Amino acid sequence: MSSRSVVALVLACTPAWSQAWQSLESHPRPDWARPWVNLNGPWQFDFDPDDKGVAERWFETHEFVEQINVPFPWQSELSGIHNVDYDGVAWYQRDVPIPTDAGPRYFLVFGAVDWKATVWVNGQELLTHEGGYTPFEIELTDLVKPGETALVTLRAEDYNSPDLPTGKQVRWYTHVGGIWQTVYLESRGVAYFERAHISSDIDAERAVVNATVIAPEAAEYTLTIEARHEEQTVSQSQQVAFQEGPNQATLELAVPNPALWSPDFPALYDVTVRLQRGDVVVDEVSTYFGMRKVSRGTYGGSDFEYILLNNKPIYLRGALHQSFNPKGIYTHPDDDYIRRDYEKAKEYGLNCLRIHIKTEEPRALYWADKLGVLLMCDVPNFWDKSDRAYPAWEYTLRKQVDRDFNHPSIFAWVDFNETWGIGHEGYDKEAQEWAHSMWKLTKELDPTRLVEENSPCNYDHTETDINSWHFYIDNFERARDHIAEVVEKTYPGSQFNYAEGWVQGTAPLMNSEYGGVSAGSGDRDISWVFLFLTNLLRKYDKITGYIYTELSDIEWEHNGFMNYDRSDKVYNYPADITVADLQSADFPVLDCPPYQKVAAGDTVQIPVLLSHWSQRQNLKIRYSVHGKTVDGRPWNEWIPAVERGVEATPFRVTPQGTFNFTAPDGTGLISV
């Protein structure tokens, strides 16, 4: 068969390539999709606690006893194994039929295997990969013909090592072992795209595509990108001469009057990148991108920097997202489950999540893109320094940034959290310099996003794009004084919140973790502590956002907006107030304690400010009083609600005078 005929099979696939036959049916990477076969579902499985499988050649002959539901880790309920105590070696095996229309090249892709994976195909060892969060692949083209079956065996080795990037699997929550992301077979061309990073330039109304193409021989090709959003379709082609092996190519695509991506309007451009040789389409990938710009800078005459989205300040109303779940642990049970997490975030009034010390599943990033949730994405930490800790972490960083480059929801990378790992045995100068070098590397790998080198609780930044800090305080007076101190000490040249020998630049200030119920605090109501802490943070226009801990409860933490099983919590707010009301772009700040004890006839004065982070006009504030007298009568029976118009500067906090009233007969508590 001629090469022209074989290549054409990529464009005329039978339904086998698009039908998924087991759990987690959706394509694992909507940002990078070709014809595929889903290999999730039952695999043969056995633990190997004595590590004798290689010597006994389990990859050739072994009577497997167990069966596991891939891609769920063996610790999870959904795996069918549910062994949360085992760390060590385990084996997987299954037959992989190669469709008759496969090709001309086809690859076995593993989304993620924790931690070390060795793969045999038909008894031949082909690859060993180390890295629990990143994908790897094996080409099967020359090993198994279309219509034949490949026997795939995988040995997973995971010893829960604290000197490897593990995130909160170690010393926090349930560990994850083995295959935990989708496994699939993918069809590609003779020459094929290895990657295509798309950077949007809203100021120049263009998108820039930086593609890597693997070519089997030197030849002339045509590289085409076509982008579509609603009624707009734009495309650009370019002739390129490639050599054998990997090749780089850059293509600019004009996008006039672009639809800008934002949390309020998450416009996505569906993209086809196509490689042709003559008239023949050699390879084609479906992806997408968003026209959006992330930057930092002053705005409207401010003397401090904001985080800017599409050249305007944005107030980040965020929550920490550990992205664990009860039945799948690290792996979402299904696509609806992922989507609901992001829908609930929007329902709570959030426009941002911080994916905490986990390289997230790509479909979760897709739903953030689709629904409009900005993401700060952490790199999983190691806990103890060793000769392999630093290179293993850097490998994870590089692969994470490379894989997830096209997701418009990601606005910032967070390299380290609370000096975990890098602060093992002390955050010394050598460790600081290395962390700083990794910050610079992250910015080189991705100049389109902000990068925080260390999200600190020990006041030990080095150099960063985001000057954030953490606090967990459940007392109003202490929280009030603490936040005021942070704001007062934040200015260029200040040594506050920075490691010895480093000083603040102009990086915008935000909170990246806060709460009144910290880990190990027990199962407590978060209603009022969330209200008064958030109210205190919104008092200062120098603070450009917050990350509340957290979106959902998790295992032994009980501080989420929802329970660990994603059921709703009951909030002790008045019936007409929701969590979303406390997380709006425009927020009335009450400069007073959350409760006040008053006696009959007392005059109460409540200073009011408006945290105004939208460009809406003709706003009004409505004041009302809640609480009861000691004999149970509600205050609002005597104190009528008051409504006023406001004057406020966008993206600033503006005083709105005071709300004054006289307490009627009776003594009690007032909440305003």
Side-chain angles (χ1 to χ4, degrees), residues 253-298:
L253 176 69
V255 188
N257 300 313
L260 300 185
W261 187 97
S262 72
D264 293 330
F265 302 99
L268 295 177
Y269 282 79
D270 294 319
V271 171
T272 301
V273 288
R274 184 178 299 115
L275 188 66
Q276 290 179 244
R277 188 172 179 182
D279 295 331
V280 176
V281 175
V282 178
D283 195 37
E284 188 172 274
V285 178
S286 296
T287 181
Y288 63 85
F289 72 97
M291 288 293 292
R292 66 100 178 91
K293 176 182 177 182
V294 175
S295 58
R296 41 174 277 212
T298 59

Side-chain angles (χ1 to χ4, degrees), residues 134 393-403 441 445:
T134 52
W393 184 92
E394 182 179 335
Y395 175 83
T396 302
L397 165 73
R398 288 178 178 273
K399 290 297 184 179
Q400 181 174 341
V401 172
D402 179 44
R403 189 198 70 178
L441 173 62
L445 295 172

Side-chain angles (χ1 to χ4, degrees), residues 43-46 59 64 74 89-94 108 110 112-114 116-121 127 136 138 151-157 178-179 183:
W43 287 53
Q44 296 182 84
F45 178 83
D46 271 333
F59 47 86
F64 284 88
W74 66 66
V89 175
W91 291 72
Y92 298 73
Q93 191 175 82
R94 67 156 287 171
L108 180 64
F110 292 86
V113 179
D114 199 354
K116 180 179 179 180
T118 303
V119 181
W120 292 260
V121 175
L127 173 144
F136 62 93
I138 300 168
L151 178 65
V152 175
T153 308
L154 181 140
R155 175 186 179 273
E157 179 182 314
I179 298 172
V183 185

Side-chain angles (χ1 to χ4, degrees), residues 29-49:
R29 290 196 59 186
D31 64 307
W32 195 251
R34 290 185 178 94
W36 71 302
V37 171
N38 190 340
L39 300 178
N40 291 339
W43 287 53
Q44 296 182 84
F45 178 83
D46 271 333
F47 291 120
D48 185 7

Side-chain angles (χ1 to χ4, degrees), residues 341-393:
D341 271 359
Y342 286 87
E343 288 176 338
K344 293 297 288 187
K346 299 282 283 190
E347 179 183 320
Y348 293 134
L350 301 168
N351 63 7
C352 172
L353 292 175
R354 179 181 167 201
I355 306 297
H356 198 33
I357 336 182
K358 175 189 178 185
T359 303
E360 184 57 287
E361 294 174 78
R363 281 207 69 86
L365 305 179
Y366 163 74
W367 282 113
D369 298 334
K370 185 79 172 176
L371 298 176
V373 179
L374 285 161
L375 299 178
M376 299 179 76
C377 288
D378 295 7
V379 181
N381 68 289
F382 55 89
W383 293 93
D384 297 341
K385 298 175 189 175
S386 73
D387 290 340
R388 65 177 183 170
Y390 283 5
W393 184 92

Side-chain angles (χ1 to χ4, degrees), residues 471-539:
F471 74 89
Y472 291 91
I473 302 174
D474 62 358
N475 175 273
F476 171 78
E477 287 78 13
R478 288 196 296 114
R480 177 196 61 199
D481 296 344
H482 168 74
I483 295 169
E485 179 188 21
V486 169
V487 173
E488 179 184 358
K489 292 182 177 179
T490 297
Y491 56 85
S494 172
Q495 295 181 346
F496 179 75
N497 204 27
Y498 278 65
E500 184 178 356
W502 304 83
V503 297
Q504 293 184 28
T506 59
L509 175 67
M510 72 169 289
N511 175 272
S512 53
E513 282 188 40
Y514 79 101
V517 181
S518 56
S521 294
D523 193 356
R524 295 167 50 193
D525 177 29
I526 69 167
S527 302
W528 292 104
V529 70
F530 169 70
L531 187 156
F532 79 71
L533 290 178
T534 306
N535 182 77
L536 288 171
L537 288 166
R538 297 296 296 260
K539 181 179 174 180

Side-chain angles (χ1 to χ4, degrees), residues 586 612 614-620 646 648 650:
D586 298 308
H612 181 32
S614 76
Q615 292 183 297
R616 290 183 291 179
Q617 299 178 351
N618 301 318
L619 294 171
K620 294 182 178 180
V646 302

Side-chain angles (χ1 to χ4, degrees), residues 125-193:
E125 183 177 341
L126 297 179
L127 173 144
T128 294
H129 176 266
E130 293 190 29
Y133 291 91
T134 52
F136 62 93
E137 61 188 37
I138 300 168
E139 185 169 7
L140 302 182
T141 309
D142 295 332
L143 301 173
V144 192
K145 295 179 181 179
E148 296 181 346
T149 297
L151 178 65
V152 175
T153 308
L154 181 140
R155 175 186 179 273
E157 179 182 314
D158 192 16
Y159 285 104
N160 205 8
S161 302
D163 62 343
L164 293 175
T166 55
K168 283 192 169 181
Q169 298 180 56
V170 172
R171 301 178 184 172
W172 282 80
Y173 313 129
T174 301
H175 186 47
V176 170
I179 298 172
W180 69 275
Q181 288 189 31
T182 291
V183 185
Y184 59 103
L185 195 66
E186 182 180 71
S187 178
R188 303 179 191 173
V190 174
Y192 65 89
F193 291 101

